[in-house]
Amino acid sequence: MIIRVHFYAMLRMTTGVSSVEVETDGPITMRQLIDLACQKTRPQLKGDLLEGPQIKKGTLLLVDGRNVLFLDGLDTMVQGDQVIAFFPPGGGG
Amino acid sequence: MSYTGKMLRVDLTTGTLTTEALPMDLARQYLGGRGLATKLFCDEVDPTVDALSPDNKLIMATGPLTGTSAPTGGRYMVVTKSPLTGAIASSNSGGFFGSKLKDAGFDIIIFEGKASKPVYLKISKEGPNLVDAAVVWGQDVYETTRLLLDEVGDKNAKVACIGPAGEHLSLIASVMNDKARAAGRSGVGAVMGSKNLKAVIVSADRNKPVVADEEAFKAVVKVCQAKIKEDAVTSQGLPTYGTKVLDNIINSSGMYPTNNFQLCMFKDVGEVSGEALVEKGYLKKRKACFGCPIGCGRDVELPNGKKGEGPEYESGWSLGAACGVSDLIAISEANFMCNELGLDTISAGVTIAAAMELYEKGFLPKEDLEKGPELRFGSSEALGYYIKAMGTNQGILGKKMAQGAYRLADSYGHPELAMCVKKQELPAYDPRGVQGQGLAYATQNRGGCHVRGYLIAPEILAHPQAIDPQELESKPTWVKAFQDLTAVIDSCGLCLFSSFALGAEVYNDLINAATGSTNSVDDLMTIGDRIWNLEKLFNIKAGLTAADDTLPKRLLEEPLTEGPNKGQVHHLDQLLPPYYKLRGWDTKGIPTQEKLLALGLG
């Protein structure tokens, strides 16, 4: 299964791409997806998104538009037919 | 004490200018800016006044931190009765005008009456005086600013003015300063126009406000600067992408209103987002207001050579997805036009969006278009054409649209198609996807507005902590806290964006060190609560009721059809009663006597 991860804002600048595809045998956790996305882009991506075992304050990991903080956090299962989007902390109005 | 201690009263009817002492007892209770100006306004103006009559007043007010070294201390407020909503109006702006006003020795200017012919107020080293504005009347904002700077002979002078929209009394006209910064909302520009007041120009040398405790103030400022530098939003997101970093976030979250809130996701968001503005090379440099280390402003140059500021997130949305327009060049040009004409970008875009839906549904007859293009969602031609028409009050539709979305839609028998609260156009977040923000919209004292209680921060941006956007129980508490804190920030002269990095404790330390007050954080939040209730009391006396604390029917009854919030409506009926109770108001939304006494408003 192919899972596509979309990057936005500063993450686009640091990874140099707007999205990346990772191949898996089936559904995986968000934590595993981050590891695979790191391998495809840059090792520092993990540090951009996580602070130790936690998602960095203000960082948004969305699965079909839902923040994983309101699903199962980094244990949220993801699969190929979902829209995965990573955002660094953002603000405005 | 960081105040100049003086305010200028300008009687436009008689041409009399009077310098008065700032009432320090009131400054202690209301800080300055929005709070103090609202108090002065409420003491002097009958809430039932016709907003465009000489009996209305208009106050420009800085706060105690305006012009100081406190980060983002460049803000000022325009307070008046709104001709758009009939409620209290208080529009906030940045740039350099506010700090310059303090340099000139005034915290506040109160305008009253009406000049017999167009004038502008000149404040220079020789003092303030009224000057015939014939040379600039009829000119757009940029030309007015240029002419006045030439006239005064000081390129460092700062100008706040209205454009043609304000002169024509458009109910969605803004007051513009430093060319592209806007006290945008609630039609404050029309009130200036109604008084034949074209502009204010201030020429003064730097005159840094003297704070009460210099050492303590410096120490807190240092803390603020460190926090702003540490916070990813204020140190990276906003400087790099500006507020338009939100386009993709809000769209992905399924609450990016599209085609007049008929949809909540925009298929072409990638073409118009903050990322696109950077990647297409239109963004030339960032721009900062007085004393701001964040610098969220955008200097843009388009491939056709046109230059200007923006679009910011709200403007890019209202002139883009709200109208279904996906051409970033057309959106940017529309933004520049609004700035030049002195039109509020949110209201202008949402008014055009309403016109498009009215037309597409057959409620707005083709003959009313006269020679104009068809009002189809997605038409960048219509966007540019009708902005010019409404900003210059031309044609059947231009005149109607200049009155805002509600009056336009009402004139065609379908007020429900105006996406407004209290007749003011809503901003860029569909409340069906974010329940707290919807409650904040409905209860805004100045009508449809996102900044007086920016619940998007916790509900979507996980800042300062993440709360579920669809959860209901905690929302009244969050909304009240955000509304009260924002009233404080608006009243001390700082930018709301500072709150991504700073909290109530730091604001309190700043204000105490600057003014010599000894407030606790609770005291400070009570000041915010007092300001909110004072505004509410004005609105009640002006004739607004609980029936005005609502959202457009579409948002309450029509479920979203796509995205993560598919099937959702806004649950205002469940949120409003506990909010009223928390505020200390009765079931009709009227503050109880006990509450008013506790706030010193009884």
Side-chain angles (χ1 to χ4, degrees):
Chain A
M1 152 189 314
I2 302 290
I3 303 177
R4 180 179 286 275
V5 181
H6 298 269
F7 300 118
Y8 294 98
M10 294 301 292
L11 294 177
R12 271 194 196 179
M13 285 194 172
T14 53
T15 61
V17 293
S18 60
S19 69
V20 69
E21 286 182 351
V22 299
E23 193 164 354
T24 73
D25 294 333
I28 57 173
T29 65
M30 178 58 79
R31 188 179 284 105
Q32 291 169 317
L33 180 63
I34 291 171
D35 284 337
L36 291 172
C38 277
Q39 290 170 22
K40 285 275 189 158
T41 56
R42 64 196 289 264
Q44 296 91 328
L45 176 64
K46 192 168 182 174
D48 293 340
L49 304 175
L50 307 180
E51 199 153 37
Q54 308 276 336
I55 300 167
K56 265 191 177 174
K57 180 185 160 193
T59 295
L60 306 179
L61 309 179
L62 305 187
V63 178
D64 284 338
R66 291 188 177 82
N67 190 330
V68 295
L69 290 173
F70 305 118
L71 300 171
D72 292 322
L74 293 170
D75 294 324
T76 302
M77 299 302 292
V78 295
Q79 55 192 37
D81 60 352
Q82 292 172 320
V83 178
I84 313 293
F86 290 178
F87 295 90
Chain B
M1 292 185 304
S2 76
Y3 299 98
T4 70
K6 288 188 294 182
M7 56 186 196
L8 178 66
R9 186 177 296 274
V10 180
D11 185 332
L12 293 159
T13 305
T14 63
T16 309
L17 281 69
T18 318
T19 299
E20 300 176 8
L22 191 75
M24 291 310 299
D25 54 331
L26 296 181
R28 275 186 286 278
Q29 296 174 61
Y30 295 93
L31 297 178
R34 173 177 155 198
L36 183 54
T38 301
K39 174 60 178 167
L40 295 169
F41 186 80
C42 291
D43 285 351
E44 296 188 13
V45 179
D46 178 348
T48 63
V49 70
D50 174 351
L52 296 179
S53 78
D55 292 334
N56 194 10
K57 298 189 183 188
L58 181 138
I59 301 178
M60 292 180 174
T62 65
L65 299 180
T66 307
T68 69
S69 56
T72 78
R75 311 296 294 194
Y76 78 103
M77 275 282 170
V78 180
V79 171
T80 186
K81 179 174 177 177
S82 165
L84 181 70
T85 64
I88 192 81
S90 51
S91 288
N92 184 289
S93 184
F96 294 82
F97 178 81
S99 62
K100 186 63 86 173
L101 185 57
K102 278 185 88 166
D103 287 341
F106 295 107
D107 294 300
I108 284 174
I109 310 174
I110 302 175
F111 293 99
E112 52 194 37
K114 177 182 180 179
S116 58
K117 59 182 180 180
V119 295
Y120 68 89
L121 174 68
K122 180 168 87 172
I123 302 177
S124 65
K125 289 167 193 166
E126 287 73 44
N129 66 307
L130 288 170
V131 183
D132 188 316
V135 69
V136 286
W137 195 258
Q139 300 293 342
D140 72 25
V141 168
Y142 279 58
E143 188 63 4
T144 297
T145 303
R146 190 186 68 77
L147 288 167
L148 290 182
L149 290 175
D150 283 353
E151 180 90 3
V152 170
D154 173 8
K155 64 181 173 48
N156 295 316
K158 301 301 171 191
V159 175
C161 67
I162 55 171
E167 292 180 17
H168 290 298
L169 309 184
S170 164
L171 302 188
I172 55 173
S174 51
V175 174
M176 307 295 296
N177 60 276
D178 302 280
K179 293 182 181 171
R181 309 309 300 183
R185 309 237 57 200
S186 307
V188 293
V191 178
M192 263 182 80
S194 75
K195 297 186 173 304
N196 272 334
L197 176 63
K198 175 69 176 177
V200 180
I201 180 163
V202 186
S203 169
D205 293 333
R206 176 74 174 134
N207 182 17
K208 195 174 175 183
V210 178
V211 297
D213 185 337
E214 185 71 37
E215 287 310 307
F217 190 70
K218 271 186 188 170
V220 191
V221 166
K222 207 171 169 184
V223 169
C224 293
Q225 287 166 337
K227 284 179 179 285
I228 287 171
K229 203 172 173 183
E230 282 165 17
D231 185 273
V233 175
T234 49
S235 68
Q236 292 176 24
L238 279 171
T240 309
Y241 290 99
T243 55
K244 276 181 74 60
V245 75
L246 289 177
D247 290 293
N248 278 304
I249 297 175
I250 303 303
N251 191 64
S252 297
S253 302
M255 37 176 288
Y256 192 65
T258 300
N259 292 5
N260 201 34
F261 288 75
Q262 293 182 93
L263 303 169
C264 62
M265 298 180 85
F266 188 42
K267 63 178 173 51
D268 295 323
V269 68
E271 287 296 309
V272 300
S273 64
E275 287 87 343
L277 197 69
V278 173
E279 289 160 12
K280 288 174 192 254
Y282 302 169
L283 176 65
K284 294 305 171 193
K285 62 176 181 181
R286 53 186 280 230
K287 198 160 187 172
C289 298
F290 175 88
C292 179
I294 303 171
C296 71
R298 310 285 91 181
D299 252 354
V300 161
E301 183 175 352
L302 302 173
N304 59 17
K306 291 188 180 170
K307 296 178 184 176
E309 289 188 43
E312 310 300 329
Y313 170 66
E314 293 291 338
S315 310
W317 160 79
S318 64
L319 303 166
C323 299
V325 173
S326 57
D327 177 347
L328 189 52
I329 293 175
I331 293 166
S332 302
E333 286 182 347
N335 192 164
F336 301 164
M337 282 174 66
C338 286
N339 290 347
E340 289 157 9
L341 293 165
L343 274 176
D344 176 37
T345 52
I346 296 177
S347 290
V350 175
T351 299
I352 293 172
M356 287 173 163
E357 187 172 353
L358 287 162
Y359 182 74
E360 288 201 347
K361 290 192 165 159
F363 303 137
L364 192 162
K366 195 166 185 175
E367 56 264 31
D368 281 7
L369 303 182
E370 298 176 290
K371 292 177 182 172
E374 288 199 89
L375 279 157
R376 298 282 180 196
F377 284 111
S379 169
S380 49
E381 186 190 5
L383 181 70
Y385 181 90
Y386 291 105
I387 283 175
K388 189 172 181 190
M390 75 170 94
T392 52
N393 210 35
Q394 296 294 310
I396 295 171
L397 267 179
K399 286 183 170 65
K400 284 190 175 187
M401 291 164 86
Q403 307 303 301
Y406 180 84
R407 289 168 178 83
L408 171 81
D410 191 45
S411 75
Y412 290 108
H414 290 277
E416 76 281 2
L417 297 187
M419 294 298 113
C420 296
V421 168
K422 301 180 177 78
K423 300 187 177 72
Q424 176 159 277
E425 295 74 13
L426 282 172
Y429 314 92
D430 193 314
R432 288 169 288 191
V434 61
Q435 299 290 330
Q437 189 64 53
L439 175 62
Y441 281 166
T443 55
Q444 292 302 329
N445 288 324
R446 69 168 185 170
C449 153
H450 60 296
V451 288
R452 304 284 167 78
Y454 188 64
L455 267 290
I456 297 302
E459 292 188 290
I460 298 298
L461 305 175
H463 210 290
Q465 69 183 73
I467 54 171
D468 187 335
Q470 290 298 341
E471 181 269 342
L472 300 181
E473 196 179 345
S474 73
K475 295 301 164 58
T477 304
W478 277 95
V479 169
K480 179 183 181 299
F482 270 49
Q483 288 175 337
D484 291 349
L485 181 60
T486 305
V488 167
I489 298 168
D490 284 347
S491 301
C492 70
L494 297 187
C495 173
L496 185 59
F497 287 174
S498 64
S499 66
F500 281 107
L502 310 180
E505 295 80 6
V506 181
Y507 289 122
N508 194 46
D509 291 344
L510 273 175
I511 293 166
N512 281 345
T515 65
S517 298
T518 54
N519 290 323
S520 66
V521 171
D522 284 349
D523 294 335
L524 193 70
M525 294 304 284
T526 299
I527 291 174
D529 198 7
R530 181 181 299 126
I531 294 165
W532 192 266
N533 276 271
L534 182 67
E535 293 173 336
K536 181 73 176 177
L537 286 176
F538 179 90
N539 286 354
I540 291 167
K541 290 173 190 165
L544 278 77
T545 70
D548 295 298
D549 287 344
T550 192
L551 294 170
K553 192 175 167 186
R554 166 169 293 163
L555 308 180
L556 298 171
E557 297 182 5
E558 296 176 20
L560 290 172
T561 56
E562 59 185 337
N565 305 297
K566 186 177 178 181
Q568 284 289 349
V569 294
H570 190 267
H571 302 294
L572 185 64
D573 56 337
Q574 295 176 57
L575 289 165
L576 200 55
Y579 170 84
Y580 279 174
K581 192 175 177 187
L582 189 70
R583 277 263 172 225
W585 299 351
D586 69 17
T587 54
K588 291 182 177 172
I590 296 172
T592 61
Q593 195 56 29
E594 186 185 0
K595 177 72 182 182
L596 295 179
L597 285 170
L599 293 172
L601 294 171

